[in-house]
């Protein structure tokens, strides 16, 4: 079946630190991969996505590269800000699944000034 | 991307009552999804709602508890029936974008059942 595993949180960093949130997946078929972000008290927002191997998704300084060989889609940011404090969800969808998303459990990030 | 609104944004309800959540999209979409996010947890798909047909429910969710309407291509409702404290969650609707795979989410409805 299809599933997503992401690193357990919470993750606490100081402002301007480097961020990595690991995400690996298993999928039957050819998945598209997504990172969603949920800021406190809000719904989910699409952060970035990649639809095929070696694609790099990027947005707001965040990046993730679709690595088929390691079945990974790790989220990175070179210098986090306090405003990046949120819960980050890795997710996948498989072609033909009519948009059904499989979510990871979420990783809570807290950035301290 | 689609602009999605939900009503109410939050509510506090008594056990045994029902609450209907509305989801409005600014464009016509074929598929809409309803999710539940229990406190501190990830999202769980409740059902897929297509216009003109019965909603398709995921394992563990039944129509009697979570009836869904989809009267047109821009609107859907989810009712949480006969509520108990275990129903306290965030309920989110989402739609699939024009690429037929990226989902866009509403802001969520935060429900507390006492």
């Amino acid at each position: 079946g299809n599933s997503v595993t992401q690193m357990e949180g919470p993750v606490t960093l100081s402002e301007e630190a480097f961020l990595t949130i690991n995400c690996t997946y298993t999928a039957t078929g050819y998945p598209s991969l997504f990172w969603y972000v949920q800021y406190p008290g809000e719904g989910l927002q699409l952060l970035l996505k990649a639809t095929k191997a070696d694609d790099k998704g990027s947005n707001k300084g965040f990046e993730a590269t679709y690595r088929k060989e390691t079945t990974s889609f790790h989220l990175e940011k070179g210098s986090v800000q306090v405003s990046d404090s949120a819960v980050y969800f890795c997710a996948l969808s498989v072609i033909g699944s009519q948009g059904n998303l499989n979510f990871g459990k979420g990783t809570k990030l807290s950035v301290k000034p | 991307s689609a602009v999605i609104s939900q009503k109410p944004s939050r509510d506090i309800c008594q056990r045994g009552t029902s609450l209907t959540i509305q989801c409005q999209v600014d464009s016509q979409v074929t598929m809409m999804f309803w999710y539940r996010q229990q406190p501190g947890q990830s999202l769980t798909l409740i059902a897929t709602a297509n216009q003109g047909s019965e909603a398709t429910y995921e394992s563990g969710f039944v129509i009697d508890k979570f009836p869904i309407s989809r009267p047109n291509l821009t609107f859907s409702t989810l009712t949480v029936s006969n509520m108990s404290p275990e129903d306290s969650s965030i309920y989110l609707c989402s739609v699939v974008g024009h690429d037929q795979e990226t989902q866009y989410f509403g802001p969520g409805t935060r429900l507390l059942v006492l």
Side-chain angles (χ1 to χ4, degrees), chain A residues 32 36 38 41 49 99 104, chain B residues 33 37 42 99 101-103 110:
Chain A
S32 293
Y36 285 86
Q38 186 175 34
K49 69 176 185 179
Chain B
F33 301 87
Q37 185 181 21
S42 187
D99 65 1
E101 63 177 358
T102 302
Q103 283 193 31
R110 283 154 182 77

Side-chain angles (χ1 to χ4, degrees), chain A residues 40-54:
Chain A
E42 299 185 12
L44 267 70
Q45 299 177 23
L46 177 66
L47 181 59
L48 54 84
K49 69 176 185 179
T51 58
K52 61 182 186 296
D54 300 325

